[in-house]
Amino acid sequence: MFQYIVKRILLVIPVLFGVSILVFGIMHLSPGDPAILMLGEGAPEAELEALRARLGLNEPLHVQYGMWVGRVLQGDLGRSIRSNRLVAAEIASRLPATIELAVLATLISVAIGIPIGVLSATRPNSLLDNATMVAALGGLAMPVFWQALMMILIFSLWLGWFPSSGRLGGWEYYVLPTLTLGTSSIAAITRMTRSTMLETIRQDYVRTAHSKGVAERRVIYRHALRNALIPVVTVIGLQFGSLLAGAVLTETIFNWPGIGRLAVDAIRAQDFPVVQGVILVFAIAYALVNLLVDLTYAALDPRLRVRYG
């Protein structure tokens, strides 16, 4: 088991290395001179050149990358061009809001998606099953920005039930952003739970349990659901990573003060140290979530525990 955990942790390292190269390359190939952005268009050439030398912008790209990685490993993501604050401090001040939103959306997705998926699988081809699958397909197909605008129009402007923007002030501020962010996850988890449950309840051990007279509820929730949850856990992990990245649109529309909105503001201002930092945080979070999913596999699947000892 220890071997399995170490192997999964080691696999994260090349992923993060590849992401760091992509992030650094894309941001440094984008147009715009950071020195001019920081000092302004009318700054004297001597001051611009001095700033470029201080930031290492005159060095070859691979040298700049090495300097950047060295600073990142020490926790230094640089300073924001726009505010001159430390990027790490800017991200740290916004990250709790994004995690809060993603965790709430994931909890709602799991709480709704798994029970509905089980109900749908245990009543195949019924009215409930067909209605669930149509709703799930609609949830997957609906663009986030359109859904957000429709929810603001209906529940905020027409009915006046929930505020259309902001974060602090009460639970009602969380309803529209969380439901908007979690809708596609609810649909994905529902579809995966139904699919795996349908496959599981046709297995011989489930039929054997039925033939021994075990109660239906016990067969479904005690025996079938545990095995069916293994691929569902994968979807939940991937959805959580997607929710972090998808928070960019949701936070912008609902004026939510998270790192998604910070990224949008930084892109508009060509504040590339902040953009680099935010993308790196997203990548690390995604990698850690997938690592957690792999470790959860080991807890749910006894074959892995036997294989790795």
Side-chain angles (χ1 to χ4, degrees), residues 94-133:
R94 300 290 194 95
L95 191 57
T98 298
I99 292 178
E100 191 177 62
L101 195 60
V103 168
L104 281 174
T106 302
L107 291 176
I108 289 175
S109 303
V110 171
I112 296 176
I114 291 179
I116 291 179
V118 172
L119 283 174
S120 183
T122 52
R123 296 164 178 77
N125 302 318
S126 65
L127 179 61
L128 173 67
D129 183 31
N130 293 329
T132 299
M133 287 303 99

Side-chain angles (χ1 to χ4, degrees), residues 10-26:
L10 291 178
L11 284 174
V12 172
I13 296 174
V15 172
L16 294 180
F17 178 66
V19 169
S20 70
I21 292 176
L22 283 174
V23 170
F24 183 84
I26 291 172

